[in-house]
Amino acid sequence: MALNRNSNVYTVIYATVLTVLVAVLLTVAAVGLAPQQKANSDNEKKQQILSSISSVLGKDVTLDNAAQIWDELNMDQNLLAVNVEGNQLEGVNVFELVAKQQFSKGEVKADAQLPVFCANVGGTTYYIMCMYGAGLWDAIWGYIAVDAEGQVYGCSFDHAGETAGLGAKIKDDPNFAAAFCGKNVWKDGELASIDVNKPGKANRFVAGGEHVDCITGATKTSDCVSVMMFNSLSGYKNFLLSIKPMALSTECCGEAAAPCCGEGEGYCKGESCENVEPENK
Amino acid sequence: MAEKKPGVFTGPLWTNNPVVVQVLGICSALAVTTQMKPALVMGISLTCVLAFANVIISLLRNTIPNRIRIIVQLVVVAALVIIVNQILKAYAFEVSKQLSVYVGLIITNCILMGRLEAFALGNKPWPALLDGLGNGLGYAIILFVVATFREFFGSGTLFGFDVIARFVNEAGYDGYQNCGFFVMPSAALILLGCIIWYLRAKNPDLQDK
């Protein structure tokens, strides 16, 4: 008897067998290739982190040399996780922290575990922090490297779906990230971040803070980078304060309760600078 | 589909090209042709998937229940594409990042469903394989041509190598700007239009009577 290929039973059995076969095949492929894929994505993460200090390293960090540089700097031993209070967290697998999970609606969650990648290059420690936020079309993220004073030594940006040739320049145009170098995220003891807006405009977060020019034709994406950087650094604010060396210059100390000279956390008290709130402030 | 075997393979390369004559797979032809490397990989990936899918569907053609044949085609194609994607992620990471969603879009590429439905379901495996290879390569050729123009004028590079900037710098002239328009998908549409125009002008059979 010829098989009736249009009967319901045949159709159901056919569909079931096919689905099971395909499912088994895909499972084998996914499980078998998983270690290699994980290695690739870890390597990419290392490349993005290290790209933010490529100016300090004096060379481009590519997917090929990222792992090597990572090991040379002994980065695995120099990872921290901090909370928004700036306290170091123990027992956290820092490298596996997912930036996306630490943010909610573009801002750092109150219970976030924020990764800090410390790179020791030439005797100076650079603190590389993660950034995450919304772009114009999809998520944008990146890393920013600062020293203890809050001076930026480089950034790296990436995006999920910004417009090619315009917004995508945050990643593709090295001049954009390079523009952040040498800027300071602090202004008179306040976290000013670095604003990205039109040439000549002031920093919109803190008056007098630093800014870099936005990308022509990608004002929206530039705005998003600006907001992302400010919000992300806000989460790290207490950590950044804790690494900041006290400005103890006494030269211009004289007027009591005036902010100390230099990047001041402290205030003048008597003849010296102390890290105390002025009484009559 | 009364073509003889050689026609099955060579036809789609030019006179019956899937992109510019059958007008299938336009979506990805616009999306992945900003640079030559992803275009090439996309072309090769699609050729492999199409060839395999054609053979598999052709082998199964006498067993597939008529009522769920589209679903069966889709399952076979989806499985093949996911495997290609997983392999790219593991062994050609940079390329897979550039292709990102487009690899997934192979599943919905009209060339696949079009060829499976029109050819593989009614032909033996060998002609189906040739048809798959022919259509895949026909697609790859068009993608490659469009990508060459777009990368050259849009980014000034070929396969990532700086061509224009180097030439311009040697000539001692700085001020050259790449044509950003070529990066946009609309440029691909216009280039495709030009190719179709050329093809129709050369080939009287294709002209509307």
Side-chain angles (χ1 to χ4, degrees), chain B residues 102-166:
Chain B
Y102 303 118
V103 170
L105 282 179
I106 295 177
I107 298 172
T108 51
N109 194 310
C110 323
I111 296 177
L112 280 162
M113 298 304 280
R115 295 322 296 168
L116 293 179
E117 186 72 7
F119 197 90
L121 268 180
N123 287 279
K124 290 181 175 158
W126 178 243
L129 176 69
L130 290 180
D131 180 78
L133 288 174
N135 277 283
L137 290 175
Y139 171 82
I141 288 170
I142 298 297
L143 239 64
F144 196 71
V145 171
V146 175
T148 308
F149 276 96
R150 289 185 70 189
E151 185 172 348
F152 185 72
F153 291 109
S155 312
T157 57
L158 287 174
F159 267 113
F161 292 110
D162 220 329
V163 182
I164 293 186
R166 187 169 297 165

Side-chain angles (χ1 to χ4, degrees), chain A residues 21 39 50 53 59 66 72 129 136 151 198 202 215 250 265:
Chain A
L21 274 179
L50 291 174
I53 51 166
K59 57 183 165 186
E72 278 171 13
M129 296 167 292
L136 176 58
Q151 186 178 336
K198 291 178 183 166
I215 296 168
T250 56
E265 245 310 280

Side-chain angles (χ1 to χ4, degrees), chain A:
Chain A
M1 190 192 93
L3 202 57
N4 180 6
R5 289 198 285 118
N6 285 319
S7 76
N8 288 343
V9 177
Y10 181 84
T11 305
V12 170
I13 292 174
Y14 193 94
T16 313
V17 170
L18 186 73
T19 315
V20 170
L21 274 179
V22 168
V24 169
L25 196 64
L26 290 184
T27 313
V28 170
V31 173
L33 294 170
Q36 185 66 34
Q37 293 173 355
K38 177 80 169 64
N40 282 336
S41 67
D42 282 357
N43 194 38
E44 191 202 14
K45 188 170 181 182
K46 288 176 182 173
Q47 187 238 341
Q48 289 190 347
I49 293 168
L50 291 174
S51 286
S52 65
I53 51 166
S54 61
S55 68
V56 179
L57 295 168
K59 57 183 165 186
D60 281 339
V61 182
T62 64
L63 285 174
D64 296 325
N65 66 11
Q68 190 199 344
I69 299 175
W70 185 270
D71 291 338
E72 278 171 13
L73 294 174
N74 204 10
M75 290 294 281
D76 281 328
Q77 309 304 318
N78 293 306
L79 308 179
L80 305 174
V82 296
N83 59 16
V84 287
E85 279 86 40
N87 301 321
Q88 208 171 314
L89 302 168
E90 297 295 330
V92 179
N93 189 347
V94 180
F95 191 76
E96 300 296 331
L97 284 177
V98 181
K100 186 180 179 179
Q101 291 167 1
Q102 316 305 329
F103 289 79
S104 165
K105 293 179 183 163
E107 295 190 6
V108 176
K109 285 182 188 168
D111 61 347
Q113 301 179 322
L114 299 164
V116 180
F117 309 92
C118 307
N120 290 301
V121 185
T124 313
T125 303
Y126 301 95
Y127 301 90
I128 304 171
M129 296 167 292
C130 77
M131 301 183 282
Y132 184 88
L136 176 58
W137 303 119
D138 208 330
I140 52 175
W141 61 92
Y143 296 91
I144 179 168
V146 301
D147 67 3
E149 301 272 5
Q151 186 178 336
V152 179
Y153 281 83
C155 303
S156 65
F157 298 102
D158 203 355
H159 60 91
E162 297 308 296
T163 315
L166 298 172
K169 278 190 180 174
I170 61 170
K171 179 187 181 195
D172 300 337
D173 186 352
N175 295 328
F176 178 69
F180 290 88
C181 292
K183 311 271 180 183
N184 200 302
V185 299
W186 296 103
K187 175 66 186 173
D188 296 339
E190 287 201 67
L191 185 70
S193 182
I194 294 157
D195 199 6
V196 186
N197 59 19
K198 291 178 183 166
K201 288 269 178 82
N203 183 309
R204 75 192 99 169
F205 304 113
V206 172
E210 307 257 25
H211 100 279
V212 299
D213 293 347
C214 61
I215 296 168
T216 309
T219 322
K220 285 283 178 196
T221 303
S222 303
D223 271 349
C224 296
V225 171
S226 191
V227 171
M228 166 180 81
M229 191 174 279
F230 181 76
N231 285 342
S232 306
L233 289 178
S234 298
Y236 282 103
K237 186 179 178 184
N238 289 319
F239 169 74
L240 287 169
L241 276 176
S242 71
I243 59 170
K244 205 164 174 238
M246 288 303 160
L248 289 175
S249 154
T250 56
E251 274 178 33
C252 61
C253 233
E255 208 177 319
C260 289
C261 294
E263 294 296 312
E265 245 310 280
Y267 288 85
C268 294
K269 196 173 182 187
E271 283 298 307
S272 64
C273 251
E274 285 180 20
N275 185 24
V276 289
E277 287 293 303
E279 283 149 24
N280 57 349
K281 190 187 170 204

Side-chain angles (χ1 to χ4, degrees), chain B:
Chain B
M1 291 301 143
E3 293 161 294
K4 292 196 179 73
K5 271 182 193 175
V8 169
F9 179 69
T10 54
L13 295 184
W14 189 233
T15 51
N16 191 24
N17 188 282
V19 183
V20 291
V21 179
Q22 301 173 43
V23 198
L24 297 169
I26 294 288
C27 164
S28 52
L30 304 188
V32 292
T33 51
T34 48
Q35 284 173 340
M36 291 162 83
K37 202 175 158 195
L40 189 67
V41 176
M42 181 77 179
I44 294 170
S45 313
L46 187 108
T47 308
C48 296
V49 172
L50 186 55
F52 275 114
N54 257 3
V55 170
I56 293 171
I57 293 295
S58 175
L59 286 172
L60 296 174
R61 72 188 186 283
N62 291 327
T63 68
I64 297 173
N66 200 32
R67 277 181 295 174
I68 58 165
R69 68 180 196 285
I70 299 278
I71 298 174
V72 172
Q73 291 166 15
L74 207 58
V75 168
V76 169
V77 172
L80 284 172
V81 169
I82 292 169
I83 289 172
V84 167
N85 195 14
Q86 298 273 352
I87 291 173
L88 282 180
K89 263 190 194 162
Y91 297 108
F93 186 68
E94 272 181 276
V95 174
S96 88
K97 266 192 76 73
Q98 275 179 311
L99 286 173
S100 60
V101 297
Y102 303 118
V103 170
L105 282 179
I106 295 177
I107 298 172
T108 51
N109 194 310
C110 323
I111 296 177
L112 280 162
M113 298 304 280
R115 295 322 296 168
L116 293 179
E117 186 72 7
F119 197 90
L121 268 180
N123 287 279
K124 290 181 175 158
W126 178 243
L129 176 69
L130 290 180
D131 180 78
L133 288 174
N135 277 283
L137 290 175
Y139 171 82
I141 288 170
I142 298 297
L143 239 64
F144 196 71
V145 171
V146 175
T148 308
F149 276 96
R150 289 185 70 189
E151 185 172 348
F152 185 72
F153 291 109
S155 312
T157 57
L158 287 174
F159 267 113
F161 292 110
D162 220 329
V163 182
I164 293 186
R166 187 169 297 165
F167 175 73
V168 168
N169 288 343
E170 275 175 13
Y173 170 74
D174 57 338
Y176 177 79
Q177 289 277 330
N178 288 314
C179 180
F181 169 69
F182 275 87
V183 179
M184 300 288 160
S186 42
L189 203 59
I190 290 170
L191 283 170
L192 275 182
C194 293
I195 295 172
I196 294 175
W197 181 17
Y198 174 78
L199 189 67
R200 291 196 163 211
K202 281 277 172 191
N203 204 335
D205 295 346
L206 297 173
Q207 287 163 13
D208 297 324
K209 293 290 179 308

